[in-house]
Amino acid sequence: MTAEYQVHGAVAVITLNNPPVNGMGLATRTAAVNGIQRALADDAVKAIVITGAGKAFSGGADIKEFNTPKALAEPSLHTFIATAEGSTKPVVAAIHTVCMGGGLELSLGCHYRVAMPGAQIALPEVKLGLLPGAGGTQRLPRVLGLEPALNMIVSGNPVLSEKLPALFDEIFAADADLLQTAVAFAEKIADVRPLPKVRDRKVDYPNHEAFLQFSRNTVKAMSGPFPAPLECVETVAASVTMKFDDGMKFERERFLHLIQTTESKALRHAFFAERVASKVPDVPADTPVRPIKSAAIIGAGTMGGGIAMNFLNAGIPVKLLETRQEALDKGIATIRKNYENTLKKGKLTQEKLDQRMGLLSSTLSYDEIGQADIVVEAVFEEIGVKEAVFRKLDEVMKPGAILATNTSTLDVDKIASFTRRPQDVIGTHFFSPANVMKLLEIVRGKATAKDVLATALALSKKLKKTGVVSGVCDGFIGNRMIEQYSRQAGFLLEEGALPEQIDKAAEKFGFAMGPFRMGDLAGNDIGWAIRKRRYVEKPEISYSKTADLLCEMGRYGQKTGAGWYDYKAGDRKAYPNDDVNAMIVKHSADLGITRRKISDQEIVERLVYALVNEGALILEEGIALRASDIDMVYLTGYGFPLYRGGPMFYADTVGLPNVLAAINKYARGHEGKAWQPAPLLQKLASEGKNFNS
Ligand code: 3HC
Ligand code: NAI
């Protein structure tokens, strides 16, 4: 049973019970419809209450059943709602905590709605690339009015129940017993006839066409490649322009269209990918976590400051440690300045700013950080410096403290070996700017204890990050893949493309920034330093020398005012530079390459398939637990377009045999040895399978 049936006096209570959020899957719908029929057949029952068990009234349709036969099987959500609405005995929705999507649509089909204050009410379907498909677009405007309903449907954002008095017949006191009070309400209205039905109401909005046209224009301008927001406007428009049943038919048709779109599939993939990323097969959900009530950060530079802000924002006191007072002062001043900028934008109050800065203290002495629950090291990326820091931390930190490193390329196992407690060492790889970027790669060392990993995952939630677990390898998931992408970008320059064309093609595909604008932002000298190391350690790997030549010109990127492009003070716009382009063309000539015109399609395929191929290796080696984790890394850390669902999901939509065929083609071209098709890609392609299945 996924809905329970009980009788309280003259009132039947149907409790949706499908943890975690009472998604209305087939079994729940069946049990609930049976419950209504049972109540109708029982003469002693005068009214029906529908509520939800546990931590939700209902989170809506069961998204896990989408694209399975169960989604459309009878009783459908429509049938369930129509059964409630058509009941000859009054049906009361008793709402608490979460009432979203199909859950709200069900309640709109009920004759009455009562709620606890503080319940989150939403039609969030648009966030999954959908529109409310079970009457929400037709019934909500009839209850709230056209404008507020349209805003809720197009934004998908939750509104607290007490802010929606028009939606509810009664909002109970905060300390009320929901079930008892709802049953009393049902008894009170049991004999009232006719039964009120939302479908019988009309949407009154004088001059609605002007408002709808304004909404279309605004939404079109804001929704980019996503079709759902505009479809939401069109279906809500039908609540004014069409009869109820016609509007319902129109809504159904548009919903069924949207559910098949790649954009919606990508958004639903990302929804589940984000949640599954926090699950590690051999670390059960009930693994105890270590309390994190205080933190120490070593190094107050670019990353240390941003990392500190994450802890401060979460209300966790931070002690910053540096070698020099000036470095500390500079780091703290930067943190304050960042907060002040947020204050100026009206996104932070002075009180909150003071609170956060009040949680920050600093020191030059390791003696003062020993009691911190976690210490995050963010010093220079040199193994010798890391060694000195970790040996010291091993001496001073209390037993059980977590020792985390923010290294972006170094071996976490080696860092752990500098301590006598490798089980407490873990990588927490934040992305720059660390106070903004959502991604946190959590690097699990060979010896990292399970409770340390579980604590890091829980901490990522507390810091409002998307935590993704990576094994130890050079570059972890994200940077290891981006290296192959950057190599292709370099080879494309040698063959005939210029930075601007490559960036534009990548940005048209949907990347927030093309590879060269990204290089200019991050600093081209960082990649240069890494390549210099690689030339010695892994001479077999080839790179285009153009990026080295650029650095030799002193063009490190935005920080030097010049990189692949020129920059003007106070302006982030990138202006192509003739000298850089001449350097690129000359380099092709030096290599004896006749430059050719390269299509945007080739550019995008080579950049993206380079990610996919390396992603497949990473998956096969077990560095990433699942393809969707790789997608999360790219969606939250590298500006990969959300509507394409991440590189691995995108490859699935292209078809793995097509991806493989393209890789084989490029393997016959310039620097073709960079393309060694990953065995996993070959295997899945030959079996007709996907990365995410
Ligand atoms: N169906 C199935 N599972 C759902 C679900 C749903 N509608 N909503 C959430 N879940 C699952 C999550 O996958 C997660 O599962 P897990 O524990 O196995 O990982 C679990 O519920 C908890 O989710 P969160 O981690 O997000 O928990 P929170 O407490 O932070 O948030 C929530 C709860 C506010 C309900 C949030 O999960 C949410 O926003 N869910 C999406 C709601 C939604 O989009 N509903 C519309 C569905 S589409 C629809 O109804 C179509 C209709 O119009 C026809
Ligand atoms: P940074 O140079 O801006 O800051 C390093 C800080 O550490 C400096 O303030 C320095 O004074 C301090 N420091 C050096 N040695 C120290 C010691 N022994 N004890 C205490 N403090 C010491 O460097 P950044 O960019 O913040 O990088 C830090 C770490 O984060 C590196 O491991 C880097 O690879 C990694 N990282 C950097 C990213 C970036 O985009 N900058 C992104 C992700 C990770």
Side-chain angles (χ1 to χ4, degrees):
M1 285 291 276
T2 53
E4 283 141 24
Y5 183 88
Q6 282 182 332
V7 177
H8 295 244
V11 178
V13 176
I14 297 166
T15 307
L16 309 173
N17 190 358
N18 182 20
V21 296
N22 303 322
M24 285 185 284
L26 179 59
T28 305
R29 301 192 305 261
T30 307
V33 168
N34 289 344
I36 296 176
Q37 279 156 357
R38 190 166 158 193
L40 290 175
D42 182 347
D43 287 343
V45 169
K46 301 277 177 238
I48 302 163
V49 166
I50 300 180
T51 191
K55 58 177 196 173
F57 172 76
S58 170
D62 191 334
I63 325 174
K64 289 177 184 142
E65 283 188 1
F66 280 11
N67 291 339
T68 74
K70 283 185 179 176
L72 297 175
E74 288 292 344
S76 66
L77 190 50
H78 280 84
T79 305
F80 177 17
I81 295 172
T83 308
E85 192 172 51
S87 159
T88 50
K89 297 177 183 177
V91 182
V92 180
I95 290 163
H96 65 94
T97 330
V98 166
C99 174
M100 293 189 177
L104 178 53
E105 293 175 297
L106 166 67
S107 79
L108 288 162
C110 294
H111 305 113
Y112 299 94
R113 285 159 298 282
V114 295
M116 295 301 288
Q120 292 190 62
I121 313 293
L123 287 175
E125 286 85 345
V126 72
K127 296 188 177 180
L128 300 173
L130 299 170
L131 54 80
T137 63
Q138 303 308 295
R139 288 193 181 92
L140 195 65
R142 284 174 161 80
V143 174
L144 290 188
L146 183 62
E147 205 170 323
L150 188 112
N151 288 339
M152 272 184 79
I153 291 170
V154 169
S155 73
N157 290 335
V159 181
L160 293 178
S161 46
E162 61 270 29
K163 302 254 156 93
L164 294 168
L167 186 59
F168 298 106
D169 297 283
E170 215 172 302
I171 294 182
F172 298 154
D175 60 354
D177 176 311
L178 174 67
L179 191 58
Q180 226 174 47
T181 325
V183 167
F185 178 91
E187 281 166 349
K188 201 170 69 192
I189 52 82
D191 297 322
V192 176
R193 295 293 182 281
L195 292 171
K197 292 182 187 171
V198 171
R199 60 178 287 145
D200 295 336
R201 301 195 202 174
K202 277 214 151 33
V203 186
D204 267 335
Y205 196 92
N207 202 5
H208 60 259
E209 240 336 298
F211 169 70
L212 289 169
Q213 197 47 46
F214 167 78
S215 306
R216 281 184 192 104
N217 295 343
T218 319
V219 167
K220 212 185 268 174
M222 289 171 63
S223 49
F226 292 99
L230 197 60
E231 293 276 8
C232 285
V233 178
E234 295 305 347
T235 42
V236 170
S239 72
V240 204
T241 58
M242 292 184 194
K243 292 202 182 100
F244 181 79
D245 288 331
D246 294 338
M248 289 292 283
K249 242 164 75 190
F250 181 63
E251 178 197 85
R252 187 86 200 128
E253 185 192 305
R254 300 324 297 159
F255 179 83
L256 291 176
H257 161 70
L258 283 178
I259 205 164
Q260 295 304 334
T261 58
T262 310
E263 291 84 357
S264 172
K265 287 180 186 160
L267 287 171
R268 283 180 272 143
H269 170 68
F271 178 86
F272 285 117
E274 181 168 9
R275 281 152 185 85
V276 85
S278 62
K279 298 177 173 65
V280 180
D282 67 327
V283 180
D286 58 359
T287 304
V289 295
R290 302 186 187 180
I292 302 290
K293 298 215 168 73
S294 60
I297 315 264
I298 316 295
T302 311
M303 295 306 289
I307 295 169
M309 287 176 76
N310 286 302
F311 283 94
L312 300 174
N313 297 349
I316 300 171
V318 170
K319 203 170 262 299
L320 264 182
L321 184 144
E322 266 284 354
T323 45
R324 292 168 303 118
Q325 186 62 43
E326 308 84 81
L328 264 185
D329 293 344
K330 192 169 160 223
I332 291 172
T334 307
I335 294 175
R336 178 174 287 283
K337 195 164 147 246
N338 280 336
Y339 279 137
E340 279 169 355
N341 285 342
T342 319
L343 178 85
K344 271 190 216 139
K345 287 184 202 149
K347 291 185 185 161
L348 189 73
T349 60
Q350 184 66 47
E351 192 192 349
K352 280 236 165 87
L353 187 157
D354 294 340
Q355 249 171 30
R356 290 179 190 180
M357 288 307 290
L359 291 172
L360 179 64
S361 59
S362 64
T363 181
L364 295 171
S365 162
Y366 277 86
D367 296 340
E368 287 187 36
I369 62 165
Q371 288 310 306
D373 295 322
I374 186 169
V375 52
V376 184
E377 165 278 310
V379 302
F380 301 138
E381 186 76 344
E382 277 170 38
I383 196 71
V385 185
K386 304 280 190 202
E387 175 170 0
V389 169
F390 272 81
R391 288 201 188 282
K392 192 74 194 163
L393 290 177
D394 193 27
E395 268 172 40
V396 300
M397 297 311 293
K398 68 178 180 186
I402 293 179
L403 315 187
T405 171
N406 188 51
T407 180
S408 39
T409 50
L410 299 173
D411 182 343
V412 173
D413 290 328
K414 188 154 191 195
I415 292 175
S417 76
F418 301 139
T419 74
R420 286 157 297 174
R421 38 174 135 175
Q423 74 281 1
D424 295 339
V425 176
I426 194 163
T428 49
H429 183 211
F430 289 82
F431 285 69
S432 181
N435 52 319
V436 177
M437 296 298 287
K438 282 271 287 175
L439 178 60
L440 178 62
E441 268 184 329
I442 298 173
V443 187
R444 180 183 193 174
K446 262 199 320 263
T448 304
K450 290 184 182 181
D451 67 332
V452 170
L453 183 57
T455 306
L457 282 161
L459 181 66
S460 70
K461 278 201 182 129
K462 188 139 198 222
L463 302 187
K464 298 205 166 73
K465 300 283 174 198
T466 302
V468 179
V469 177
S470 169
V472 175
C473 68
D474 193 345
F476 314 127
I477 297 173
N479 284 344
R480 179 170 152 184
M481 285 166 66
I482 207 74
E483 175 162 306
Q484 299 308 323
Y485 168 97
S486 304
R487 282 178 79 205
Q488 284 306 317
F491 297 145
L492 284 161
L493 291 182
E494 291 180 349
E495 287 177 74
L498 290 174
E500 199 183 11
Q501 187 200 355
I502 297 173
D503 281 349
K504 280 208 169 125
E507 286 158 22
K508 203 162 139 217
F509 174 79
F511 277 103
M513 242 182 235
F516 298 104
R517 287 216 294 136
M518 190 169 93
D520 279 356
L521 183 68
N524 297 308
D525 52 323
I526 294 178
W528 195 25
I530 294 173
R531 280 192 304 282
K532 281 185 197 160
R533 198 178 85 203
R534 292 260 159 74
Y535 294 149
V536 178
E537 289 173 2
K538 295 182 182 167
E540 69 281 8
I541 302 179
S542 55
Y543 295 91
S544 164
K545 289 274 185 290
T546 42
D548 300 353
L549 295 171
L550 183 83
C551 289
E552 284 168 19
M553 292 163 82
R555 302 181 69 103
Y556 290 175
Q558 288 193 19
K559 61 183 165 190
T560 56
W564 294 103
Y565 301 96
D566 287 335
Y567 297 89
K568 295 178 185 165
D571 175 3
R572 295 219 146 178
K573 199 167 169 319
Y575 298 89
N577 174 279
D578 290 342
D579 294 341
V580 171
N581 291 349
M583 174 273 285
I584 292 167
V585 171
K586 177 174 180 303
H587 183 61
S588 301
D590 291 347
L591 292 175
I593 295 173
T594 308
R595 292 176 67 80
R596 65 184 171 94
K597 188 168 167 18
I598 301 178
S599 70
D600 285 0
Q601 182 188 342
E602 177 175 342
I603 291 172
V604 167
E605 283 185 355
R606 284 173 58 177
L607 295 178
V608 177
Y609 296 169
L611 294 177
V612 172
N613 199 44
E614 194 66 22
L617 290 173
I618 282 173
L619 199 53
E620 200 166 13
E621 290 168 21
I623 297 294
L625 289 167
R626 32 185 110 74
S628 64
D629 285 3
I630 297 176
D631 288 334
M632 269 341 275
V633 165
Y634 267 76
L635 292 174
T636 56
Y638 292 83
F640 198 93
L642 178 59
Y643 66 96
R644 298 195 191 272
M648 310 313 272
F649 181 86
Y650 174 69
D652 289 343
T653 64
V654 172
L656 299 191
N658 297 329
V659 174
L660 183 60
I663 288 179
N664 283 328
K665 182 178 79 187
Y666 297 128
R668 294 190 290 274
H670 174 63
E671 289 289 347
K673 62 182 180 304
W675 294 105
Q676 307 274 346
L680 179 65
L681 170 62
Q682 292 176 315
K683 179 170 173 290
L684 293 175
S686 71
E687 291 170 354
K689 291 191 181 151
N690 287 334
F691 288 122
N692 291 284
S693 46

